Amino acid sequence: MKNIVAAVLASVFSLSLTGCSVFQTLEGQTEDKPNEYSNVYELSSGKAYVWEHEGETDIRNDLSQDRVGDPVFFACPLGDINFKGDELSDIDQYPRSIWIPSDIDDQIPTVTSKNALIYISDTTVPEEIIFERFADYGYSIGVSNMEADGGGHYFITYAETDEDDYKYYVDMKSEAAQVTEFDTIARLYLDKVGGMEVNEETVSDGGTVMNLEKDKSYICEFYTGTFYQDFKLKANIHSFGKLERFVCHDYEFLHANCIKIEIPEWFKSGYYFVQGVGLFRYVADEDLLAYNGKAYDPGINWNDPIKQYDEYGVCIFDPSLDIDYEDIEENSDPGLDESEIVIGASPEEEEETEGSEIDESSEGSTLDSDSN
């Protein structure tokens, strides 16, 4: 099986040397499918799009069947995802990642308060709208979700439970697919990239290598067991990792072939995978002036969480749920006061303590009655 994979990869790389783009071939771009449209009736069922028309404030004015002119509908790309078949699932058996090549990540459309997110379906109206938010980890090689061992060395799970585990950690449509040619090993360690040590200071929260220059090639030092292997890989993958998930229900019929999905007012700037069909970038009003308008803006905090958790990992705030958290806090049981807590007392001792308190109270009452 590994030999077949190696042969396929060799043929792909030979195509790239003859001028045929590897990413165009692997991403299906050779089918010449457009990602922008001028007419809403050209859009495909089962997909999400962003409507953006400068100078126009009402999407209804662009919904006629005979509309022509500049494109105003932009497709939300699927990208290369490692959760195919589980697009709407909330199961986190493996880390969920989206990888998009740097030469097409400018196709991720931007949603603001001035445009609209729409969804097309010729069969169903969704009962719920699922927004899965992904953290933006910038440009890196096609390896994500690395973990640190006890000594601070980083690895990906290669084949601990299944021989195909690596597919959840390696973008198989990137140059990093080369690292899957090994015989079955449990872990694949990455020690250095371009001479830079891979450690907690150079690895993102999503397990990607940081501080790499977009589209630059690096010698990457991998280890299979204690054996050294190096690969020349390009930092041309825009990497995203799951951050949080929300279920919403607000949409509007538009008397056309689509619905308009309402963006919750509590959304923060970030990347959202909507209804399992495509990724879009949301820029909140407070970030509009600062946003550079490009596919990547390190000046915006795209990963600021919306949900809040306590020190035990329990969610204490989720604006997508119809819960009055202030009311819960006001009416919650405050528990015992510290002065009431007896540490190390047995149930029998506590009963004796309670009994003595009752006796003393009764005795006090008797004395009071006698004195009177």
Side-chain angles (χ1 to χ4, degrees):
M1 181 63 186
K2 297 291 183 181
N3 291 333
I4 295 175
V5 172
V8 171
L9 288 170
S11 64
V12 169
F13 292 130
S14 67
L15 287 173
S16 67
L17 294 175
T18 59
C20 179
S21 169
V22 172
F23 290 123
Q24 285 181 347
T25 301
L26 294 174
E27 290 294 327
Q29 300 300 313
T30 52
E31 298 176 7
D32 294 327
K33 291 182 179 179
N35 68 304
E36 50 187 49
Y37 306 81
S38 60
N39 193 303
V40 71
Y41 289 91
E42 297 174 348
L43 309 184
S44 300
S45 176
K47 293 187 177 296
Y49 299 84
V50 172
W51 170 77
E52 182 178 3
H53 189 172
E54 186 175 356
E56 181 60 70
T57 59
D58 191 345
I59 186 176
R60 291 173 179 80
N61 295 328
D62 285 335
L63 297 181
S64 62
Q65 296 195 37
D66 58 353
R67 186 187 185 281
V68 294
D70 294 334
V72 293
F73 301 101
F74 304 89
C76 297
L78 184 65
D80 182 26
I81 61 177
N82 70 347
F83 47 96
K84 292 180 177 67
D86 290 312
E87 286 82 356
L88 294 177
S89 174
D90 194 28
I91 299 175
D92 289 329
Q93 181 179 1
Y94 296 97
R96 292 163 74 91
S97 297
I98 299 176
W99 297 291
I100 298 185
S102 60
D103 60 343
I104 62 171
D105 66 335
D106 58 356
Q107 294 179 12
I108 302 173
T110 300
V111 174
T112 71
S113 60
K114 298 179 180 179
N115 49 27
L117 175 67
I118 64 173
Y119 177 74
I120 308 283
S121 175
D122 56 12
T123 57
T124 60
V125 175
E127 293 186 14
E128 56 187 21
I129 308 298
I130 296 178
F131 293 100
E132 188 169 4
R133 191 177 179 202
F134 280 76
D136 180 6
Y137 296 122
Y139 299 103
S140 188
I141 59 175
V143 174
S144 300
N145 309 310
M146 290 190 298
E147 304 172 65
D149 65 11
H153 306 286
Y154 278 82
F155 67 91
I156 64 168
T157 300
Y158 195 86
E160 278 190 337
T161 58
D162 188 279
E163 65 176 6
D164 291 338
D165 279 345
Y166 59 79
K167 291 183 179 179
Y168 299 97
Y169 304 86
V170 177
D171 179 7
M172 296 302 292
K173 295 181 179 179
S174 73
E175 292 181 358
Q178 299 173 65
V179 306
T180 66
E181 299 174 12
F182 304 121
D183 290 331
T184 299
I185 54 175
R187 296 178 175 183
L188 179 63
Y189 279 83
L190 177 57
D191 186 51
K192 289 185 177 65
V193 175
M196 176 183 71
E197 289 191 6
V198 176
N199 54 41
E200 61 178 2
E201 295 180 356
T202 58
V203 175
S204 71
D205 291 340
T208 63
V209 181
M210 301 187 298
N211 306 327
L212 302 184
E213 185 179 334
K214 176 184 176 183
D215 294 335
K216 182 177 178 180
S217 293
Y218 296 88
I219 298 299
C220 302
E221 302 178 14
F222 287 90
Y223 280 84
T224 56
T226 60
F227 287 79
Y228 165 78
Q229 317 274 345
D230 69 22
F231 294 86
K232 187 176 183 180
L233 304 178
K234 189 176 290 187
N236 58 357
I237 300 299
H238 199 161
S239 298
F240 302 88
K242 182 179 178 179
L243 183 61
E244 48 196 357
R245 185 178 190 267
F246 304 99
V247 178
C248 303
H249 301 87
D250 294 333
Y251 64 84
E252 179 183 359
F253 288 111
L254 295 175
H255 197 67
N257 64 334
C258 60
I259 59 172
K260 176 185 175 184
I261 295 176
E262 299 296 336
I263 300 296
E265 61 180 11
W266 39 263
F267 261 24
K268 294 182 178 181
S269 293
Y271 286 81
Y272 297 82
F273 195 68
V274 61
Q275 211 57 14
V277 298
L279 187 70
F280 69 90
R281 177 190 305 104
Y282 176 70
V283 181
D285 286 346
E286 57 266 29
D287 292 325
L288 279 175
L289 291 178
Y291 174 48
N292 65 13
K294 297 181 180 179
Y296 179 62
D297 186 349
I300 301 292
N301 184 3
W302 304 104
N303 308 338
D304 186 20
I306 296 174
K307 292 183 180 181
Q308 297 176 19
Y309 297 83
D310 64 16
E311 64 269 29
Y312 304 106
V314 177
C315 183
I316 58 175
F317 178 70
D318 181 350
S320 69
L321 301 178
D322 188 18
I323 297 176
D324 188 342
Y325 288 93
E326 292 184 359
D327 184 59
I328 291 176
E329 186 174 349
E330 290 175 1
N331 293 285
S332 62
D333 183 0
L336 293 173
D337 184 82
E338 289 184 5
S339 62
E340 299 177 285
I341 300 175
V342 179
I343 300 176
S346 67
E348 293 78 9
E349 290 173 332
E350 289 180 354
E351 288 181 5
E352 291 177 3
T353 302
E354 291 174 358
S356 63
E357 289 177 353
I358 294 173
D359 292 341
E360 289 175 4
S361 175
S362 302
E363 185 178 332
S365 300
T366 304
L367 289 173
D368 288 342
S369 61
D370 289 344
S371 62
N372 291 330

